[in-house]
């Protein structure tokens, strides 16, 4: 009914200007974002983690993508906040922590203490996504929400004004080196439209199977942060590999 539409517009009129004030952005400005490359250290040699991070830093990485797996949300284990705390000593690069864990709210304090810049939680992994996002932001970090390939965009629709980034998985999380799921491309385009229509300024990150070919598809669709593990760490020339994702 007309009155319902009216009340929804009121909510948006209230929330969106607030979002702009908090993020010091003007409506319509800053939508053309620079492309950032976030190499995933999942494909690094863990015996030489400090060197592996220095290597991507020298090669022009914008962020470090840190894949945390709990063996429950995904069928694999990696590492947690203690490792993040240690590698925090070797670089000033932005730490983008992708939590592939159930009930991520119980680890947020630890990641804040470890020096994470952004914590990304899966919408499928928490019963209280809004509370979880607010908790991350109250800890002074940026907040992101991730969606698995089969999860619909409507899971993030209501939380968009509160997040800095949405991560669309382009493989099923758990392993590096899998092939890109093509249906992610139209999904990115639909999310970019949702974000633009709401007048928001939010990064879209894509993670899984990104290489010099798939990177072009996801950038054209509206992605702004590209995660790449096996492509970057498997390349003979790391600098050229990172540059090729932006070209
Ligand atoms: C998958 C991880 C990814 C992974 C990507 O569960 O979230 O970040 O490292 O690896 P590639 O780029 O090899 O697909
Ligand atoms: Zn990841």
């Amino acid at each position: 009914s007309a009155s319902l539409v009216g009340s929804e517009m009121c909510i948006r009129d209230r929330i969106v200007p607030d979002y702009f004030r908090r993020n010091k952005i003007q409506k319509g400005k800053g939508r053309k974002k620079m492309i950032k490359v976030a190499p995933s250290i999942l494909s690094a040699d863990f015996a030489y983690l400090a060197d592996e991070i220095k290597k991507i830093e020298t090669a022009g990485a914008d962020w470090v993508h840190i894949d945390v797996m709990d063996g429950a949300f995904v069928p694999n284990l990696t590492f947690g906040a203690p490792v993040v705390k240690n590698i925090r000593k070797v670089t000033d690069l932005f730490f983008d922590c992708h939590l592939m864990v159930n009930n991520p709210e119980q680890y947020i304090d630890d990641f804040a203490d470890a020096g994470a810049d952004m914590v990304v939680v899966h919408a499928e992994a928490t019963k209280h996504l809004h509370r979880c996002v607010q908790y991350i932001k109250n800890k002074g970090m940026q907040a992101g929400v991730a969606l698995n390939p089969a999860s619909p965009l409507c899971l993030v629709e209501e939380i968009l004004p509160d997040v800095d980034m949405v991560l669309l998985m382009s493989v099923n999380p758990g392993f590096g080196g899998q092939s890109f799921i093509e249906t992610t491309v139209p999904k990115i385009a639909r999310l970019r439209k949702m974000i633009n229509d709401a007048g928001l300024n939010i990064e879209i990150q894509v993670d899984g199977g990104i290489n010099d070919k798939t990177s072009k598809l996801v950038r054209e669709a509206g992605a702004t942060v590209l995660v790449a593990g096996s492509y970057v760490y498997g390349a003979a020339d790391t600098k050229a590999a990172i540059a090729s994702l932006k070209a």
Side-chain angles (χ1 to χ4, degrees), residues 40 65-67 98 100 167 169 207 227:
S40 166
H65 184 80
I66 299 173
D67 286 308
H98 177 196
M100 287 162 276
L167 163 52
M169 291 304 301
D207 183 7
V227 175

Side-chain angles (χ1 to χ4, degrees), residues 27-182:
K27 198 161 182 163
K29 293 263 171 74
R31 281 188 193 159
K32 267 250 165 291
K33 284 175 169 282
M34 298 289 293
I35 301 296
K36 294 185 192 71
V37 173
S40 166
I41 55 169
L42 183 61
S43 294
D45 183 339
F46 291 171
Y48 303 95
L49 205 42
D51 297 339
E52 294 279 74
I53 290 168
K54 279 288 160 203
K55 180 163 139 182
I56 56 165
E57 182 170 1
T58 315
D62 299 282
W63 292 2
V64 184
H65 184 80
I66 299 173
D67 286 308
V68 178
M69 304 185 187
D70 69 349
F73 181 71
V74 289
N76 202 1
L77 285 163
T78 52
F79 44 71
V83 170
V84 176
K85 192 172 197 144
N86 278 278
I87 59 175
R88 183 71 287 177
K89 294 180 217 154
V90 306
T91 182
D92 290 326
L93 280 177
F94 187 94
F95 277 2
D96 151 32
C97 298
H98 177 196
L99 268 49
M100 287 162 276
V101 305
N102 284 330
N103 306 315
E105 46 281 341
Q106 59 187 317
Y107 306 103
I108 292 165
D109 286 345
D110 293 344
F111 278 89
D113 293 342
D117 295 289
M118 176 186 272
V119 168
V120 181
V121 297
H122 272 262
E124 308 90 352
T126 175
K127 289 194 178 76
H128 300 287
L129 184 59
H130 185 274
R131 178 185 287 147
C132 194
V133 163
Q134 298 309 324
Y135 199 96
I136 295 167
K137 295 201 296 187
N138 287 340
K139 281 280 165 180
M141 300 181 288
Q142 291 189 35
V145 175
L147 290 179
N148 283 334
S151 297
L153 290 176
C154 62
L155 285 177
V156 296
E157 195 173 352
E158 307 303 329
I159 197 100
L160 280 182
D162 295 293
V163 299
D164 300 286
M165 186 173 87
V166 176
L167 163 52
L168 296 183
M169 291 304 301
S170 40
V171 296
N172 289 293
F175 306 93
Q178 303 179 82
S179 45
F180 182 79
I181 297 171
E182 301 276 344

